Amino acid sequence: MPPGFYLCSADWIGRYMPEVWVQPDTLDDENRKFAQSPLRKPVFLNSLPKSGSHLLRNILRMFVPVEQQYKADFIQWPNLQQHKHAFNPARPMMSWGHLFMADASVIETAPTRRILLYRDPYDWVIARARFFLSEQFSGNVDHLKSGEFDVDELLTMMIFGLPGKAPSLNDIYELNVAAWLGTKTFIVKYEDLVHNLGIIDSDAAEAYFANLFEACGIERPGDWRDRVAIGSDRKQSGTAREQLTGVSVEFPETLSARHKALVDYQAPGLRTLLGYA
């Protein structure tokens, strides 16, 4: 899901809120099959769009009572004031969104346990392009689905953005990710999450998820692996790669050397800051 803002030279913010169509899941019913311990403090799952937001959210939904899950919307800058009650410490909830770092967002989320999810910019470029071309996405860049653009052109647009229509990679990462690194927040890398899902029976995965649950204020039950398996089922995520429909372009598994160089040119030092280089 693209962010709800367009930032250019830090001097103006747009109000671009695309429509995202997602099939409903059955996780509320699955959740109620397990004994749940209530949250004692609000949790906000902040994430870079197209970085595994639904994966992290769905896993953690299996550990929080349904009544404490704030489902009204993905919280973003344009709708922050409408949903700031999601962070009320007197009524602890787990909420989620794509909220960039600014004075109001820091103030409103101060009572929460902040979790920040992001992924390698190299892989994000491909994920963003695929999502823009899918039937699940609708916004002011729908002309990209016309078939008039080749893969290289589409990936380049994902890196540099489209003036007045879609922010550049650097714009998105700057306030959605990089600026939050200077605040109190618990970092989750998409790649680490996926890796530990793949070795779920190992001691390393147990330690990884123990740290994640502790950061969220979640009591780790003995059946945690069963819950993680249900929450991470890709069939429960309407935006998982295989759930996207209408994508007629075949994207590469990894960026070419040239496009990697363009990412590094457009956002110099970003991958080093995020721990990827």
Side-chain angles (χ1 to χ4, degrees), residues 43-58:
V43 181
F44 180 52
L45 308 180
N46 198 10
S47 60
L48 175 77
K50 299 314 302 170
S51 64
S53 308
H54 286 79
L55 175 61
L56 178 63
R57 182 197 69 171
N58 289 352

Side-chain angles (χ1 to χ4, degrees), residues 194-209:
V194 171
H195 171 73
N196 282 282
L197 286 172
I199 57 169
I200 193 67
D201 292 324
S202 69
D203 291 341
E206 182 171 6
Y208 175 84
F209 282 101

Side-chain angles (χ1 to χ4, degrees), residues 48 50-56 116-120 123-124 127 173 187-197 208 234 240-242 276:
L48 175 77
K50 299 314 302 170
S51 64
S53 308
H54 286 79
L55 175 61
L56 178 63
L116 177 64
L117 171 70
Y118 60 78
R119 73 187 302 173
D120 189 330
D123 296 326
W124 176 87
Y173 271 84
I187 302 302
V188 178
K189 291 183 181 179
Y190 171 76
E191 296 81 6
D192 293 341
L193 179 60
V194 171
H195 171 73
N196 282 282
L197 286 172
Y208 175 84
R234 294 178 67 86
R241 175 177 173 177
E242 61 270 22
Y276 292 108

Side-chain angles (χ1 to χ4, degrees), residues 238-259:
T239 59
R241 175 177 173 177
E242 61 270 22
Q243 304 286 15
L244 299 181
T245 57
V247 181
S248 58
V249 174
E250 184 173 349
F251 289 99
E253 290 297 320
T254 60
L255 280 187
S256 67
R258 174 169 292 186
H259 280 93

Side-chain angles (χ1 to χ4, degrees), residues 75-259:
I75 301 174
Q76 303 180 67
W77 181 259
N79 64 16
L80 173 60
Q81 296 307 313
Q82 297 172 244
H83 301 291
K84 63 182 182 180
H85 53 280
F87 313 129
N88 184 355
R91 188 171 177 264
M93 303 282 284
M94 182 177 75
S95 57
W96 41 79
H98 309 308
L99 189 59
F100 64 75
M101 192 277 206
D103 49 0
S105 51
V106 170
I107 291 171
E108 300 299 352
T109 63
T112 74
R113 295 175 181 268
R114 298 186 190 123
I115 310 298
L116 177 64
L117 171 70
Y118 60 78
R119 73 187 302 173
D120 189 330
Y122 287 168
D123 296 326
W124 176 87
V125 170
I126 300 172
R128 185 193 199 194
R130 183 180 292 111
F131 188 58
F132 271 23
L133 266 60
S134 72
E135 294 176 333
Q136 283 67 35
F137 175 87
S138 179
N140 64 350
V141 293
D142 284 350
H143 61 288
L144 298 182
K145 304 176 186 181
S146 65
E148 297 179 2
F149 305 95
D150 66 26
V151 172
D152 286 345
E153 292 167 342
L154 290 168
L155 293 176
T156 299
M157 287 183 237
M158 297 303 104
I159 297 170
F160 289 92
L162 297 171
K165 296 177 181 178
S168 70
L169 180 150
N170 189 57
D171 286 339
I172 291 179
Y173 271 84
E174 183 174 50
L175 290 185
N176 270 290
V177 179
W180 282 111
L181 300 183
T183 69
K184 294 180 180 179
T185 189
F186 182 82
I187 302 302
V188 178
K189 291 183 181 179
Y190 171 76
E191 296 81 6
D192 293 341
L193 179 60
V194 171
H195 171 73
N196 282 282
L197 286 172
I199 57 169
I200 193 67
D201 292 324
S202 69
D203 291 341
E206 182 171 6
Y208 175 84
F209 282 101
N211 288 335
L212 175 60
F213 297 147
E214 182 179 5
C216 295
I218 291 173
E219 297 181 12
R220 182 164 59 102
D223 55 11
W224 68 272
R225 286 188 174 89
D226 295 333
R227 302 187 193 208
V228 168
I230 294 171
S232 62
D233 183 350
R234 294 178 67 86
K235 294 179 182 178
Q236 296 284 3
S237 174
T239 59
R241 175 177 173 177
E242 61 270 22
Q243 304 286 15
L244 299 181
T245 57
V247 181
S248 58
V249 174
E250 184 173 349
F251 289 99
E253 290 297 320
T254 60
L255 280 187
S256 67
R258 174 169 292 186
H259 280 93

